[in-house]
């Protein structure tokens, strides 16, 4: 981790690991990139904060492209106020150069020189590698909830969009629980043919059917003493769901053809990107199984809610391909501005393709144009605002639905007939705070 140089004595206090449980949020700016690479460290904005290379009080940035007093930031209930102080090379907010002062409710990233900073509502916590995983403060709070579930219960339901890291979270559940010394058995339920699901999950006895010349152990038996991870649980057939419910309630396995049950000591982590409650209403998921697994449920935050992690992921991809590769600040900014519906998996694939393009051209620095040239990437230009990946209904219709549901995103999404993660992406792009709607601020 490369800390940010600052004159503020309270900055290290605010960003030190282990301080996430203090009560008061610390509004401030978090530097995530410089020419030296990814970094993690910030400073409270207080009544106003200057970014530059000058003397204190300021967030001091080591970049000769930055003026001594480059820009100032302030925060109030209505959002952020960012003013360029007649800097030599300009101040860029969400990819667009500002003239004078800009007011914006939720800016994503500010660029001065080749330094990138994030205006954040809470500085507590930093970014670090934990067990080989890039973990920022948002994800760290989620992992703390998984720790509690691992210590107190035998099952947990992980929800979140594709690529949000559900298997990594399941492995964390395994590592932090009493079954850590036992096996971890991952199963992708979506990949199991319907006619083989019972056999694969619960095994068979010899002679159970024609060709069963020997007993075969299922995944449930293989996980005895450890954790069984059932990914994409919503893809299981209703009949298998009934057998799974019995297994969860009794801890007993009936292999196909068996006359006696076998008791196993298994903790079960289930995961899905689907809305199980909606599936229950559609009679696609058993209600009794839903109530058995719905608590505790932990939602994994999408990558666009963990912007501070993105530069670290970029550096890891480049280092894995070629330790000599470096990312340009504009490429990192472009990645911070993009909404990644495929989360870390999509980000890694896009950066890898960009890096290969740069290396093929004989360059050691990966440029923004390398990313823009890869398939399926939509970026905002310097003079553009970020464009929504998903198109929802008319803005006023969405706002009316949010007000009707008292700002609850999940209920609003159901009312609009879209996935809650789709609505959250739209709100992020539109810089809408659903809670502020109730006060007439949006």
């Amino acid at each position: 981790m490369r800390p940010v140089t600052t004159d503020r004595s309270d900055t290290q206090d605010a960003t030190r690991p282990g301080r996430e449980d203090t009560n008061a949020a610390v509004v401030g700016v978090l530097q995530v990139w410089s020419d030296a690479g990814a970094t993690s460290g910030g400073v409270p904005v207080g009544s106003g904060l200057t970014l530059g290379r000058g003397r204190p009080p300021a967030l001091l940035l080591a970049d000769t492209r930055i003026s001594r007093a480059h820009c100032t930031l302030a925060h109030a209930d209505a959002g952020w106020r960012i003013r360029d102080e007649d800097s030599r090379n300009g101040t860029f907010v969400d990819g667009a150069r500002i003239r004078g002062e800009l007011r914006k409710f939720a800016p994503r990233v500010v660029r001065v020189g080749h330094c990138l900073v994030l205006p954040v509502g809470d500085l507590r916590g930093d970014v670090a590698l934990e067990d080989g995983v890039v973990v920022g403060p948002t994800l760290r709070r989620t992992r703390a909830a998984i720790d509690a579930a691992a210590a107190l219960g035998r099952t947990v339901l992980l929800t979140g969009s594709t690529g949000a890291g559900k298997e990594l979270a399941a492995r964390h559940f395994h590592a932090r629980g009493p079954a850590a010394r036992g096996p971890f058995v991952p199963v992708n339920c979506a990949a199991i043919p319907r006619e083989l699901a019972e056999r694969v999950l619960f095994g068979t006895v010899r002679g159970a059917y024609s060709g069963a010349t020997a007993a075969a152990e299922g995944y449930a038996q293989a996980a005895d003493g450890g954790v069984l991870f059932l990914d994409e649980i919503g893809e299981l057939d209703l009949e298998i769901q009934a057998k799974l419910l019995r297994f969860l309630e009794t801890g007993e396995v009936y292999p196909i053809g068996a006359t006696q049950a076998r008791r196993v000591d298994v903790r079960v982590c289930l995961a899905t990107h689907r809305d199980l409650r909606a599936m229950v209403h559609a009679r696609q998921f058993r209600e009794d199984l839903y109530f058995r697994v719905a608590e505790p449920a932990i939602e994994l935050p999408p990558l666009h809610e963990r912007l501070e992690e993105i530069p670290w992921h970029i550096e890891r991809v480049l280092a894995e391909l070629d330790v000599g590769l470096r990312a340009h600040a504009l490429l990192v900014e472009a990645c911070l501005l993009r909404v990644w519906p495929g989360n870390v998996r999509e980000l890694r694939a896009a950066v890898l393709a960009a890096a290969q393009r740069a290396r093929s051209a004989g360059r050691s620095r990966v440029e923004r144009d390398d990313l823009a040239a890869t398939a399926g990437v939509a970026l905002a230009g310097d003079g553009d605002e970020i464009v929504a990946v998903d198109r929802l209904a008319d803005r006023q219709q969405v706002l009316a639905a949010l007000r009707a549901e008292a700002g609850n995103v999940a209920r609003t999404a159901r009312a609009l007939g879209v996935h809650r993660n789709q609505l959250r992406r739209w709100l992020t792009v539109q810089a809408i705070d659903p809670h502020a709607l109730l006060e007439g601020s949006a």
Side-chain angles (χ1 to χ4, degrees):
M1 180 178 66
R2 306 176 188 86
V4 174
T5 302
T6 176
D7 68 294
R8 305 271 181 147
S9 60
D10 58 346
T11 299
Q12 291 184 350
D13 228 21
T15 60
R16 183 182 302 150
R19 292 295 300 271
E20 289 85 356
D21 293 331
T22 56
N23 293 326
V26 182
V27 178
V29 295
L30 180 68
Q31 185 181 356
V32 295
W33 187 262
S34 71
D35 265 345
T39 185
S40 177
V43 62
V45 70
S47 58
L49 177 67
T50 299
L51 274 58
R53 295 189 299 111
R55 293 176 298 178
L59 176 58
L60 305 180
L61 303 172
D63 186 336
T64 57
R65 305 171 190 85
I66 297 174
S67 301
R68 293 178 62 82
H70 199 100
C71 66
T72 56
L73 296 91
H75 181 267
D77 292 340
W80 289 83
R81 188 174 72 251
I82 305 167
R83 185 174 67 248
D84 180 74
E85 301 292 353
D86 295 324
S87 64
R88 183 172 69 253
N89 293 312
T91 300
F92 296 79
V93 178
D94 294 346
R97 184 169 185 169
I98 66 172
R99 306 292 180 182
E101 184 173 284
L102 173 72
R103 295 173 183 257
K104 194 167 187 178
F105 177 75
R108 292 166 69 88
V109 58
V110 176
R111 169 165 52 92
V112 291
H114 282 182
C115 292
L116 301 174
V117 301
L118 307 180
V120 296
D122 196 347
L123 277 175
R124 293 172 295 174
D126 63 357
V127 183
L129 287 178
E130 298 180 4
D131 302 321
V133 179
V134 177
V135 179
T138 301
L139 187 55
R140 189 171 292 112
R141 287 189 286 271
T142 302
R143 286 162 71 92
I146 295 172
D147 290 346
L152 300 174
R154 300 187 66 84
T155 64
V156 66
L157 175 65
L158 303 175
T159 65
S161 52
T162 299
K166 292 188 282 292
E167 182 167 344
L168 287 174
R171 291 185 181 276
H172 187 75
F173 175 80
H174 172 234
R176 296 306 178 96
R181 293 184 178 274
F184 176 82
V185 180
V187 182
N188 183 353
C189 297
I192 303 175
R194 177 178 176 179
E195 64 275 11
L196 298 180
E198 183 177 3
R199 187 191 318 175
V200 167
L201 290 175
F202 303 118
T204 62
V205 298
R206 180 180 178 183
Y209 53 86
S210 177
T213 58
E217 191 176 66
Y219 287 126
Q221 296 97 316
D224 193 9
V227 169
L228 177 64
F229 173 46
L230 297 177
D231 196 9
E232 302 301 350
I233 190 66
E235 306 303 321
L236 284 179
D237 180 76
L238 289 169
E239 183 179 348
I240 301 303
Q241 291 178 24
K243 298 179 185 297
L244 175 61
L245 175 62
R246 187 186 185 284
F247 165 63
L248 293 175
E249 290 184 335
T250 66
E252 294 179 341
V253 178
Y254 269 97
I256 296 175
T259 58
Q260 290 185 329
R262 171 183 165 182
R263 177 166 287 278
V264 293
D265 180 18
V266 176
R267 282 169 164 73
V268 182
C269 180
L270 309 101
T272 183
H273 73 282
R274 303 182 67 179
D275 186 338
L276 294 186
R277 185 187 294 272
M279 292 183 68
V280 169
H281 291 317
R283 301 184 182 276
Q284 297 172 338
F285 197 83
R286 291 182 62 98
E287 184 177 47
D288 48 5
L289 178 59
Y290 173 75
F291 287 123
R292 176 64 179 77
V293 304
E295 294 293 340
I298 299 173
E299 183 170 6
L300 301 181
L303 187 59
H304 69 74
E305 293 179 7
R306 296 149 42 199
L307 294 182
E308 66 281 353
E309 296 176 17
I310 287 178
W312 293 73
H313 285 294
I314 294 171
E315 280 203 331
R316 293 194 80 188
V317 172
L318 298 185
E320 289 166 9
L321 181 64
D322 185 335
V323 293
L325 286 173
R326 295 291 182 266
H328 194 284
L330 293 180
L331 175 130
V332 179
E333 179 189 51
C335 290
L336 290 166
L337 288 177
R338 182 176 173 186
V339 180
W340 299 94
N343 294 294
V344 175
R345 185 181 298 126
E346 182 187 4
L347 169 68
R348 286 180 59 88
V351 173
L352 178 60
Q356 290 171 334
R357 182 181 177 86
R359 196 166 66 167
S360 296
R363 288 183 278 105
S364 62
R365 177 158 294 208
V366 187
E367 308 285 345
R368 178 175 59 181
D369 287 347
D370 295 321
L371 183 68
T374 59
V377 178
L379 300 171
D382 279 356
D384 302 322
E385 292 294 323
I386 182 171
V387 179
V389 172
D390 303 302
R391 300 296 183 184
L392 292 179
D394 175 80
R395 177 186 174 94
Q396 294 307 314
Q397 180 183 348
V398 177
L399 297 184
L402 279 165
R403 292 189 180 97
E405 298 297 342
N408 185 290
V409 173
R411 292 200 304 265
T412 303
R414 284 196 293 271
L416 292 170
V418 299
H419 194 279
R420 62 182 180 277
N421 289 332
Q422 184 183 17
L423 179 57
R424 287 191 179 113
R425 287 195 295 268
W426 186 88
L427 292 171
T428 298
V429 169
Q430 298 289 327
I432 293 173
D433 179 357
H435 301 294
L437 287 172
L438 306 182
E439 304 171 358
S441 300

